[in-house]
């Protein structure tokens, strides 16, 4: 009997699960069901993050939407059994693997099956056995290993310690770790850095002179606004300053286009605790300035400075943030918030939903921030505040320092996980090996030039075009988000907005089977999903130009081939129809854009040139050069390469890639 149970077809196995939810099955059959439940445990999100920009946020929403369709009506087993029967009757293939449900849906089915079978086997199926099988065997999930060891040491407060192991001498950079960007201390320093760089100018009546407005007396008011809001727009800034654009006043482009980012941590907490009577007591964060001593690493002297007292970390806001940040389990976090801060359950749950780890880490420790904060609060710009305490904020060197710098004979390889980016680490270690070989053969170089990625430097006109495009797209996104919420009850997340654009771009038709997909189906991930034209497995491009909409079955059948190759495999008629479809989409009259509701559809019925080209790529057309992700990595590599190469050469400079391109053209290479 065990052999027969182990060889059940998918239809028979899900039929057994469907039956077990209401009718009696044998204990052996129940054992087979429990084994199957153990093999398919559902998806459990590793973080309770509710930020719309969180990785895989859209995927999780699709899973939750799928569960909401059957919740209270069917178990997962009953749902799949019904789908398999219908598809088998119509002689159609049904792929269960891609129909993912959340963990809670599987636990719910386990409870229903156990409760149903307990009435038939009360002695064997005890409550104690249920808890053991459910919580300690099938659905137990060990916590993730802590990654605290990978957090960087503060470059301003860290120092090198040498260890002699007899044969080799090892150097380790030790010191206080950098603070999270969500830390109340970092948020305050960020605010003052931004405030001290605000520049407001006025054009004189003759239109020739640009006078700079002194805003020093308004800085405290600006800070109070930023401290309780997530953003300060140019309009709000001018309102605080009591000035107007009509009088010729203007700010810099960043403020004009994006505004100034506020205290995101404080804003998130204020939103979560809105209406709570003791709110002001919980968000108190008073800083005490005290004298302190600091070792100036440039001069080697111990200097007297002003610094924020370390007991600021005992203030209510800091303690509240630290509790939310440090406890990862949601239930434990809620209990701790209720116990430590006497918060009602509803407010504790609201706070527990905030993911303060999403912003990653800053480049300074809390100790370094406490030292520069008094200078920032007095109105000094960041570079001056750093110089006051003896920090070399740009790690620049004077001509004398470069001349006197002690150079290494060779470069040491980067240790494993030193940069937390394996590809970058590997490339830099290859560079180190090449440079060491060159030194061994020819001696230390007199000068090194590092070529930067061409996109690193842009002209003023290019930057203006870039900002204008962002502004226009942001306005479109806001309208789309509003419509998604109003018409479909779906959050206006970045991925949902992208889905909306993709759907309208091809008028809601799957390019592979040429059948219609409703916008609601696509937004909720029902039998359809975002499809990569060139599979990520062969060409890692997650940009909008490499995405379209498709049925899940079409996506599955396409597998890891290009869209063109897949349609070519389906025959000449299918390929011809496909090519005609994408040609029609590409050549759609541009006037269609004006017909859309204020551009909210974003080029409805017209695909871009880059997407049109990708839709015609064969496998051999896939370029072998850098793609978007690798381009980002080259920027980081260039910066790290300069830092590393400075240890063996006094003259290390960077050159724009455009210079090299120009020279190649001039030389005919």
């Amino acid at each position: 009997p065990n052999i027969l149970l182990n060889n059940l077809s998918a239809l028979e196995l899900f039929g057994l699960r469907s039956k077990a939810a209401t009718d009696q099955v044998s204990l052996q059959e129940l054992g087979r069901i429990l084994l199957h439940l153990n093999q398919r445990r559902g998806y459990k999100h590793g973080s309770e993050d509710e930020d719309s920009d969180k990785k895989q946020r859209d995927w999780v929403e699709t899973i939750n939407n799928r569960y909401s369709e059957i919740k209270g009506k069917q178990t997962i087993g009953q749902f799949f059994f019904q789908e398999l029967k219908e598809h088998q009757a119509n002689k159609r293939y049904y792929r269960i693997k891609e129909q993912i449900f959340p963990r809670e849906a599987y636990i719910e089915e386990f409870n229903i099956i156990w409760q149903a079978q307990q009435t038939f086997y009360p002695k064997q199926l005890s409550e104690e056995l249920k808890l053991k099988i459910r919580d300690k065997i099938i659905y137990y999930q060990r916590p993730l290993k802590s990654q605290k060891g990978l957090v960087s040491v503060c470059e301003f407060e860290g120092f090198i310690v040498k260890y002699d192991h007899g044969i080799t001498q090892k150097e380790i950079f030790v010191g206080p770790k950098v603070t999270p960007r969500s830390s109340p201390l970092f948020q305050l320093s960020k605010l003052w850095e931004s405030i001290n760089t605000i520049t407001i100018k006025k054009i004189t009546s003759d239109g020739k002179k640009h006078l700079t407005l002194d805003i020093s007396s308004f800085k405290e008011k600006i800070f109070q606004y930023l401290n309780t809001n997530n953003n300060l727009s140019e309009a709000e800034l001018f309102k605080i300053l009591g000035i107007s654009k009509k009088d010729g006043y203007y700010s810099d482009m960043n403020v004009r286009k994006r505004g100034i980012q506020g205290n995101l941590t404080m804003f998130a907490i204020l939103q979560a605790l809105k209406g709570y009577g003791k709110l002001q007591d919980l968000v108190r964060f008073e800083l005490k300035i005290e004298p302190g001593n600091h070792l100036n690493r440039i001069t080697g002297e111990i200097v007297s400075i002003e610094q924020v007292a370390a007991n600021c970390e005992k203030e209510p806001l800091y303690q509240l943030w630290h509790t939310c940040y440090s406890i990862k389990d949601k239930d434990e976090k809620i209990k701790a918030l209720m116990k430590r801060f006497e918060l009602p359950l509803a407010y504790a749950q609201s706070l527990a939903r905030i993911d303060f780890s999403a912003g990653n880490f800053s480049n300074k420790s809390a100790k370094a921030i406490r030292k520069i904060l008094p200078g920032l609060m007095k109105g000094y710009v960041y570079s001056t505040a750093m110089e006051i305490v003896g920090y070399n904020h740009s790690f620049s060197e004077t001509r004398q320092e470069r001349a006197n710098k002690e150079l290494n004979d060779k470069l040491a390889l980067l240790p494993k996980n030193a940069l937390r980016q394996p590809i970058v680490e590997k490339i830099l270690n290859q560079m180190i090996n090449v440079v060491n070989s060159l030194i061994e053969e020819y001696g230390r170089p007199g000068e090194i030039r590092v070529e930067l990625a061409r996109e690193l430097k842009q002209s003023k006109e290019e930057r203006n075009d870039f900002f204008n495009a962002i502004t226009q797209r942001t306005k479109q996104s806001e309208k789309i988000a509003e419509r998604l919420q109003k018409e479909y009850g779906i959050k206006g997340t970045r991925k949902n907005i992208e889905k909306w654009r993709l759907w309208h771009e091809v008028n809601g038709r799957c390019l592979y089977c040429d059948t219609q997909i409703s916008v609601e189906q696509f937004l909720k991930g029902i039998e359809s999903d975002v499809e990569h034209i060139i599979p990520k497995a062969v060409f890692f491009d997650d940009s909008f130009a490499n995405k379209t909409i498709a049925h899940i079955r079409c996506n599955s059948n396409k597998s890891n081939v290009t869209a063109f190759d897949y349609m070519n495999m389906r025959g000449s008629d299918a390929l011809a129809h496909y090519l005609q479809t994408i040609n029609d989409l590409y050549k759609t009259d541009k006037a269609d854009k004006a017909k859309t509701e204020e551009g909210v559809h974003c080029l409805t019925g017209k695909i871009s040139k880059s997407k049109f080209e990708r839709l015609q790529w064969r496998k051999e057309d896939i370029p072998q050069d850098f793609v978007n992700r690798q381009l980002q990595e080259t920027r980081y590599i260039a910066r790290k390469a300069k830092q590393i190469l400075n240890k063996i050469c006094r003259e290390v400079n960077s050159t724009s890639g455009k210079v090299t391109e120009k020279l190649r053209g001039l030389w005919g290479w």
Side-chain angles (χ1 to χ4, degrees), residues 309-338:
N311 63 7
C312 68
E313 296 183 0
K314 295 181 181 178
E315 288 291 301
L317 176 66
Y318 195 94
Q319 289 294 308
L320 185 66
W321 163 78
H322 193 266
T323 301
C324 294
Y325 176 80
S326 59
I327 303 174
K328 302 304 176 188
D329 183 80
K330 188 177 180 181
D331 294 330
E332 284 183 29
K333 192 184 295 185
I334 291 169
K335 288 177 185 176
L337 289 168
M338 292 174 70

Side-chain angles (χ1 to χ4, degrees), residues 45-58 60-61 64 328 330 333 351-359 491:
H45 199 15
S47 169
E48 295 298 333
D49 173 40
E50 299 209 353
D51 183 0
S52 62
D53 291 328
K54 189 70 176 177
K55 188 179 179 182
Q56 295 184 330
R57 168 67 178 144
D58 63 318
V60 176
E61 278 191 22
N64 291 334
K328 302 304 176 188
K330 188 177 180 181
K333 192 184 295 185
L351 271 177
R353 283 194 288 269
I354 305 170
D355 184 7
F356 286 117
S357 63
K491 288 184 179 180

